[in-house]
Every structure is written in C-alpha cells, then in structure tokens.
Amino acid sequence: METQKVIINVGRQLGSGGRSIAKMLAQNFDYRFYDRELLNLAAQESGFSKRFFEQNDEQKIFTKSFFNYHLPFIGDNNFYSNNLSQERLFQFQSDAIRKAADKGGCVFVGRCADYILRDFNNVVNIFVTADLEVRIGRVCKRHQCEEEKAKAIIESAEERRAAYYNYYTGKQWGHSASYDLCVNSSLLGIEDTAKFLALFIRMRFNLETI
C-alpha cells in the first residue's frame, strides 16, 4: 500500500504523446488527471466563462477573439479597472492548480504546474518529447492534413507554449534543466514510456512497485 501521494507534472511537445502518457500515469497510480479540466476549475475559481479560459489557454497574450466577447461578468466592461489581465487569468488558474494539488495524488498536463507547485512536497516534473517525423505523423492523422501543414501547426503551438512557460516561470520550456526527467517517447512508444515513467516515479519516491 502506498503511504504517500505524488504530484506528477507533465510538459510535452505537440504530437509527442505526452497527454496520453500523463493519462496512463494517472490510471497507473489511480490519481486524478488534469488537462483541460483545469479550465473548468479556473472558471469556477474566477466566475468567468470556461470558454474565456479556453480561448487564452497556455498563451501569454489575449487572443484577438477576446475583444469580440460580450462580458456580462464585468460590470462596466472596463478591462483595466476590473484588473482583468493575462496575469490575473494565470493567477486564477494557479489557484485552481494549487487547490487540486492540496488533495494529493494527481497528474497535471502543462500550464506551468511544475512552477506553480514548486513549493509542494513529493512533486516530480517530466517533459515528453519525440522525434519530429513521429510528431508530424501524429498531427497529420489528428488534423487530417499534409505534412507541411502539420509542421506549421507544431511550430505555432510550441512557440505559444514556450512563450507562455518562459514568461511565467523564468525557466526554459523543454530544456532539461527545467525538469527532473526528459524522455523521448519515440524510443519505447507511448505505452512503454508510461510504464518506464511509472517505474521511475515509484523508485524516486520509494513507492511500492506493482
């Protein structure tokens, strides 16, 4: 029987299988899984619409579509007097992440959770990468597009994620120094990478092996 609960934070390159691996880890440890579920929590924390967080998810600046919103939750529709800023949205999401982590035993995907939870005990920070051709293939399949388009999607998404992470953490997204372990899922495949990471976590925290 495991006597302690671990918080697992998973950063990932687009198309690396990082989200699937994170979900497998949650199932392996019987932990709660948070990816886009965090947007629901942040919406509840702030009183804003979930769609508002979705439109600005892991972005350092507001999307243009923000300015087309009708915002009934802002009494006078004054952006600045209501302290509505990207930093404020980040704070709402950070509060939601910390509240979820307070319950112990969870897996977070992205959204600077490693930095937000830096003062928590029993935390492990992982980054999942994969060979570019593998990632392009997965994105092609997901979006039903040609390789050139898939590469552009990857570059755009990763530029956005890196800018968001670097801005809020002061660290470098995807750099080995920012994490406890970086792993290339192309080497073992998604399922075996998840098994490898589960073993690593159990050894790291002296948890009972299964």
Side-chain angles (χ1 to χ4, degrees):
M1 182 69 67
E2 294 170 4
T3 59
Q4 61 176 317
K5 299 293 184 180
V6 176
I7 297 168
I8 304 169
N9 300 314
V10 180
R12 75 288 183 217
Q13 286 187 306
L14 188 67
S16 67
R19 185 184 187 278
S20 297
I21 289 168
K23 199 159 191 177
M24 289 177 187
L25 287 173
Q27 293 168 347
N28 186 294
F29 288 94
D30 195 23
Y31 285 176
R32 289 165 292 119
F33 174 79
Y34 295 101
D35 181 14
R36 296 183 69 82
E37 292 83 355
L38 288 170
L39 306 181
N40 256 335
L41 296 178
Q44 293 169 15
E45 185 73 25
S46 65
F48 295 151
S49 166
K50 177 187 174 184
R51 186 183 172 201
F52 184 67
F53 284 90
E54 289 175 339
Q55 289 290 323
N56 295 280
D57 190 24
E58 290 192 295
Q59 298 192 74
K60 188 169 71 68
I61 58 174
F62 283 112
T63 59
K64 291 180 181 179
S65 60
F66 163 79
F67 297 101
N68 296 323
Y69 276 145
H70 173 60
L71 302 176
F73 46 78
I74 300 179
D76 58 5
N77 285 335
N78 187 307
F79 180 89
Y80 294 103
S81 68
N82 286 277
N83 296 318
L84 183 58
S85 66
Q86 197 67 42
E87 282 72 20
R88 189 65 174 147
L89 288 183
F90 180 77
Q91 187 61 53
F92 286 135
Q93 188 162 269
S94 298
D95 290 344
I97 289 172
R98 280 189 286 266
K99 284 187 176 181
D102 278 335
K103 299 176 183 178
C106 49
V107 179
F108 294 102
V109 177
R111 297 172 182 84
C112 302
D114 58 322
Y115 176 76
I116 293 165
L117 302 175
R118 62 194 181 280
D119 295 327
F120 276 61
N121 296 321
N122 301 329
V123 174
V124 60
N125 302 316
I126 294 165
F127 190 84
V128 181
T129 183
D131 296 342
L132 180 59
E133 59 268 25
V134 173
R135 295 190 287 127
I136 288 175
R138 288 183 181 137
V139 172
C140 282
K141 185 176 180 180
R142 184 185 307 165
H143 292 274
Q144 296 294 299
C145 64
E146 300 296 326
E147 289 188 358
E148 185 175 345
K149 175 64 174 177
K151 187 176 180 181
I153 291 172
I154 289 171
E155 290 174 350
S156 175
E158 295 192 348
E159 180 180 357
R160 187 171 65 247
R161 286 179 184 175
Y164 180 84
Y165 182 89
N166 297 350
Y167 178 79
Y168 286 109
T169 69
K171 299 192 293 180
Q172 187 175 346
W173 181 81
H175 193 283
S176 59
S178 299
Y179 309 91
D180 299 314
L181 181 67
C182 296
V183 61
N184 184 337
S185 65
S186 302
L187 301 178
L188 296 178
I190 290 177
E191 289 189 7
D192 284 342
T193 298
K195 292 176 183 177
F196 166 76
L197 290 173
L199 179 60
F200 168 80
I201 293 166
R202 292 182 189 280
M203 293 180 67
R204 166 70 178 80
F205 294 99
N206 297 313
L207 303 177
E208 181 182 343
T209 58
I210 56 174

